[in-house]
Amino acid sequence: MAEQPQSFESAQRDLNPHRDEERRHATDIIEAQLRQRGIAIDGESSDDAADILSAVERFEAAVSALGGDRFVNDPRSHDPENRLMVIPAKEDGESGAAYARRILDAANRLGVSRAD
């Protein structure tokens, strides 16, 4: 019986035994950056966490381009200046990928064209 080929992830772990630890550390840093912005995520994959942070940064750039203030329009605020400029909250059971898409959709609704 032929031996099964090694998966990419398995091969990468063999090449770098600290790979999983490094990915977890990177995810911890991303989660901390999101918490500072009032966005709580938990248990997301490192890729999903990175996508969420990227979407949040895109949303913040759109808000800034319109002259909005992310501190006044913080998700933790009970009386934001403009609700459209508040990052949407993650819904119960929502996947990280779906949440990132929803944040990008909210950024696009602000009507600011992307420079990149």
Side-chain angles (χ1 to χ4, degrees), residues 25-92:
H25 180 68
T27 303
D28 289 346
I29 291 170
I30 290 169
E31 287 177 0
Q33 291 176 348
L34 290 169
R35 271 193 307 277
Q36 288 176 332
R37 291 170 161 98
I39 300 164
I41 63 168
D42 187 33
E44 305 298 336
S45 72
S46 57
D47 290 340
D48 282 349
D51 288 346
I52 292 168
L53 179 59
S54 178
V56 167
E57 289 171 344
R58 167 71 184 107
F59 184 89
E60 290 173 347
V63 168
S64 292
L66 293 171
D69 182 340
R70 78 175 209 209
F71 296 106
V72 174
N73 296 299
D74 188 272
R76 297 165 287 205
S77 175
H78 295 290
D79 189 26
E81 182 179 79
N82 182 338
R83 292 218 178 267
L84 292 176
M85 293 186 179
V86 177
I87 294 172
K90 188 171 188 280
E91 296 174 356
D92 289 339

Side-chain angles (χ1 to χ4, degrees), residues 1 8 24 52 70 92 108:
M1 186 166 169
F8 176 78
R24 184 67 231 158
I52 292 168
R70 78 175 209 209
D92 289 339
N108 291 334

Side-chain angles (χ1 to χ4, degrees), residues 51-52 55 94-108:
D51 288 346
I52 292 168
E94 184 174 28
S95 73
Y99 184 43
R101 279 191 305 274
R102 205 158 50 82
I103 294 169
L104 288 174
D105 288 346
N108 291 334

